[in-house]
């Protein structure tokens, strides 16, 4: 995400590298490029101008610490301003009380229905909530079917009334149904339009007044840039919503909406969505997003995702196997499955400091593990348990069964042996200390 903006900001901030101190001349030169990068990302001109003005005021006359050079100081100042521009603090969803109604709003095509499913999955798996999805798009024929498809993927009930064209009535009946069936969160997926119109605004305003939701979220397609900000303002004038959701951040987004929507509507970005899978949802952290935009990665989010997949009992079993030299391909396959559950490979790589920049021109496929999985599945149980028995004839059979070559089998065997040695070495104390530290961060 934000690859183009990240690249241009990196180039702009590189201007100060090698300078011994910050001066009005070199700051002006750097900030001119920073402003240009923001404008290219579809940031409003006035916001971009005010942004660089604040950075300049903080930079001029500052004594550079002995541990920082002018370039590093400018990066810090830009990061702080980016964080502030995007909201400063992380703002979570309001789930106060024993029963919560969440109203989803947004234009058609913004990803509202898919996100409703993602949010339901997030609340079900991470907040242990009993969720009911409500289909209130009574105009688009496929809308309720789409909601049902999404709900089936995550095991959540959908409430809809075929033939009823009154979304206010459907919403109120759904809330009664939820209370009668021990649901404690209701997510109402409303109708969208291709553009803001009076009829649409009146309808969603009527739903809002009738159900009095604890949380109203505006879903916006991050790829629409400044238009998204203008649409958010129109919705906020009618709904006074509680927060923004940015979808499609895995696309070729310029970033303007994410950077400026908070300053225009004065409402926090609460969630971001980066893919089609139901777990592709993240709480929005302005400081972490600023780090990612500036190519610093997001190690904290990466560790949090790893911890979500961390199973202490499985880890203990794995440690015993490693200690006894019993680590096999079944265990290797299990580790791959855990990595895949953490999210898309492109997103994970973007969280590693410097990796996004180094691999910007490389297409990272989420199916990268398919070849490895095919090879392992073509092995017999004894071969997976005891890899040392895999000889030349076995390799030929495995290659034929997996549609790969003997060379690819050899490469995997080499990687597996290297991984086994590394894990064995980590048993000597370093690995245990690392695991204890990670457990302490939970």
């Amino acid at each position: 995400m934000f690859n183009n903006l990240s690249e241009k900001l990196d180039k702009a901030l590189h201007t100060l590298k090698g300078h011994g101190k910050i001066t009005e001349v070199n700051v002006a030169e750097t900030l001119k490029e920073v402003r240009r990068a923001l404008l290219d990302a579809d940031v409003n001109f006035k916001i971009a101008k005010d942004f660089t003005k604040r950075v300049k005021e903080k930079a001029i006359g500052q004594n550079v610490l002995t541990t920082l050079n002018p370039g590093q100081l400018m990066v810090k100042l830009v990061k702080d301003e980016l964080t502030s521009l995007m909201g400063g603090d992380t703002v979570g969803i309001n789930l106060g009380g024993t029963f919560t109604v969440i109203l989803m709003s947004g234009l058609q095509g913004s990803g509202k229905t898919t996100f409703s499913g993602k949010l339901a999955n997030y609340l079900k798996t991470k907040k242990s909530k009993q969720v009911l999805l409500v289909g209130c798009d009574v105009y688009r024929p496929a809308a309720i079917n789409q909601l049902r498809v999404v709900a089936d993927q995550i095991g959540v009930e959908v409430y809809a009334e075929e033939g009823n064209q009154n979304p206010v009535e459907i919403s109120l009946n759904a809330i009664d149904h939820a209370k009668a069936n021990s649901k404690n969160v209701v997510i109402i997926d409303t109708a969208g339009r291709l553009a803001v119109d009076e009829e649409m605004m009146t309808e969603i305003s009527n739903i809002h007044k009738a159900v009095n939701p604890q949380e109203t979220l505006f879903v916006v397609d991050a790829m629409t840039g400044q238009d998204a900000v203008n649409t958010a303002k129109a919705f906020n004038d009618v709904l006074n919503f509680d927060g923004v959701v940015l979808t499609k951040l895995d696309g070729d987004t310029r970033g303007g909406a994410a950077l400026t929507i908070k300053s225009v509507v004065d409402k926090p970005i609460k969630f971001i969505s980066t893919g089609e899978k139901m777990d592709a949802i993240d709480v929005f952290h302005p400081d972490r997003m600023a780090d990612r935009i500036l190519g610093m990665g997001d190690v904290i989010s990466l560790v949090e995702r790893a911890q979500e997949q961390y199973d202490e009992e499985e880890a203990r079993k794995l440690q015993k196997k490693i200690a006894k030299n019993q680590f096999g391909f079944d265990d290797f396959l299990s580790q791959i499955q855990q990595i895949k559950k953490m999210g898309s490979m492109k997103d994970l790589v973007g969280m590693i400091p410097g990796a996004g920049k180094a691999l910007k021109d490389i297409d990272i496929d989420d199916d990268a593990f398919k070849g490895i999985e095919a090879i392992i599945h073509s092995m017999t149980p004894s071969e997976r348990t005891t890899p040392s028995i895999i000889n030349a004839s076995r390799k030929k059979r495995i290659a034929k069964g997996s549609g790969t070559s003997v060379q690819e089998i050899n490469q995997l065997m080499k990687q597996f042996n290297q991984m086994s040695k590394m894990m064995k070495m980590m048993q000597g104390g370093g690995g245990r200390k690392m695991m204890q530290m990670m457990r302490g961060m939970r």
Side-chain angles (χ1 to χ4, degrees):
M1 62 181 81
F2 305 136
N3 288 342
N4 194 39
L5 175 60
S6 297
E7 189 176 339
K8 289 183 178 178
L9 282 177
D10 180 64
K11 196 176 292 183
L13 294 169
H14 190 75
T15 308
L16 275 177
K17 189 175 181 182
H19 286 275
K21 62 178 181 178
I22 285 179
T23 66
E24 283 208 41
V25 175
N26 58 33
V27 163
E29 187 183 351
T30 298
L31 291 180
K32 181 181 177 182
E33 293 302 317
V34 169
R35 185 165 61 248
R36 186 174 294 165
L38 293 173
L39 292 173
D40 285 347
D42 206 17
V43 172
N44 175 275
F45 177 79
K46 185 179 183 303
I47 292 173
K49 185 179 177 182
D50 290 345
F51 179 94
T52 51
K53 182 182 176 182
R54 287 193 300 272
V55 174
K56 183 178 180 180
E57 287 171 353
K58 291 178 181 179
I60 296 297
Q62 279 215 29
N63 292 320
V64 180
L65 300 172
T66 54
T67 55
L68 294 175
N69 61 41
Q72 290 171 331
L73 178 61
M74 185 59 77
V75 169
K76 182 186 181 303
L77 293 175
V78 170
K79 184 212 162 180
D80 290 345
E81 280 303 317
L82 279 174
T83 302
S84 177
L85 187 63
M86 291 186 287
D89 298 320
T90 302
V91 181
I93 191 167
N94 176 22
L95 294 173
T98 56
F99 189 82
T100 304
V101 176
I102 301 170
L103 182 66
M104 309 300 296
S105 62
L107 293 180
Q108 186 176 315
S110 62
K112 181 165 42 64
T113 300
T114 301
F115 183 79
S116 296
K118 290 179 182 180
L119 181 59
N121 187 52
Y122 170 84
L123 296 175
K124 176 187 173 184
T125 58
K126 298 189 179 176
K127 302 294 181 182
S128 301
K129 297 293 183 180
Q130 298 296 317
V131 186
L132 178 70
L133 282 166
V134 183
C136 276
D137 187 346
V138 296
Y139 308 105
R140 190 162 59 95
I144 293 172
N145 286 337
Q146 182 189 352
L147 192 64
R148 286 194 171 117
V149 169
V150 165
D152 285 345
Q153 292 179 45
I154 58 175
V156 168
E157 183 186 353
V158 171
Y159 182 90
E161 296 182 9
E162 302 292 342
N164 190 343
Q165 294 291 299
N166 188 333
V168 172
E169 193 176 285
I170 295 169
S171 299
L172 293 172
N173 290 343
I175 290 171
D176 290 339
H177 176 85
K179 289 178 178 178
N181 289 273
S182 303
K183 310 291 184 183
N184 49 26
V185 175
V186 172
I187 299 175
I188 302 173
D189 179 33
T190 62
R193 301 286 196 282
L194 294 175
V196 175
D197 59 49
E198 187 177 345
E199 183 185 355
M200 175 194 194
M201 290 308 191
T202 300
E203 180 181 290
I204 196 163
S205 177
N206 289 340
I207 297 173
H208 189 271
K209 288 172 186 174
V211 303
N212 190 26
Q214 283 70 37
E215 188 84 1
T216 302
L217 298 176
F218 175 70
V219 181
V220 60
D221 180 345
M223 294 176 71
T224 56
Q226 204 57 43
D227 285 342
V229 179
N230 298 331
T231 306
K233 189 176 185 307
F235 269 84
N236 193 50
D237 290 344
V238 173
L239 287 178
N240 189 26
F241 55 70
D242 300 293
V244 177
V245 174
L246 285 178
T247 62
K248 306 180 186 178
L249 273 170
D250 53 328
D252 185 22
T253 175
R254 294 165 72 187
L259 295 176
T260 60
I261 205 163
K262 171 66 171 65
S263 63
V264 174
V265 298
D266 195 29
K267 295 294 167 64
I269 300 170
K270 295 199 172 188
F271 290 98
I272 57 173
S273 171
T274 55
E276 288 299 317
K277 293 181 180 177
M278 286 296 105
D279 57 358
I281 172 176
D282 285 306
V283 173
F284 184 75
H285 300 277
D287 55 338
R288 300 185 194 178
M289 185 57 71
D291 277 339
R292 293 187 71 170
I293 289 171
L294 292 171
M296 299 175 185
D298 185 0
V299 175
I300 296 173
S301 293
L302 187 61
V303 170
E304 285 177 353
R305 288 200 191 184
Q307 287 176 336
E308 286 171 11
Q309 303 305 323
Y310 179 80
D311 186 311
E312 292 196 31
E313 181 58 33
E314 287 300 314
R316 276 194 289 270
K317 290 179 182 176
L318 190 60
Q319 281 182 329
K320 289 179 181 178
K321 284 188 173 185
I322 294 166
K324 296 178 181 178
N325 283 325
Q326 293 176 349
F327 183 76
F329 273 110
D330 281 326
D331 305 304
F332 189 56
L333 191 61
S334 176
Q335 297 302 301
I336 289 174
Q337 300 306 324
Q338 288 190 35
I339 292 170
K340 287 172 68 175
K341 287 179 185 177
M342 287 170 63
S344 75
M345 292 304 297
K346 193 170 185 178
D347 196 29
L348 294 178
V349 167
M351 293 180 183
I352 302 169
K357 181 181 175 183
L359 301 173
K360 65 182 177 69
D361 296 323
I362 299 174
D363 186 27
I364 302 169
D365 193 348
D366 278 344
D367 292 334
F369 291 119
K370 270 194 172 179
I372 295 173
E373 291 172 314
I375 291 171
I376 296 173
H377 286 307
S378 294
M379 296 177 183
T380 64
S382 58
E383 287 168 346
R384 291 198 293 268
T385 305
T386 315
S388 58
I389 67 172
I390 301 175
N391 55 24
S393 61
R394 288 175 183 264
K395 287 176 184 177
K396 286 181 182 177
R397 192 203 76 249
I398 294 167
K400 188 176 180 180
S402 58
T404 58
S405 65
V406 172
Q407 186 180 1
E408 288 172 287
I409 308 294
N410 287 333
Q411 187 178 1
L412 176 60
M413 295 288 291
K414 183 180 178 182
Q415 290 171 341
F416 173 80
N417 290 331
Q418 287 173 341
M419 182 179 176
S420 300
K421 286 177 184 176
M422 183 184 71
M423 294 179 82
K424 180 72 174 174
M425 285 169 63
M426 288 183 71
Q427 292 294 303
R432 282 194 295 274
K433 287 178 183 176
M434 186 182 293
M435 285 184 170
Q436 287 167 3
M437 182 182 75
M438 286 182 69
R439 282 198 291 269
M441 291 172 67
R442 296 179 79 179

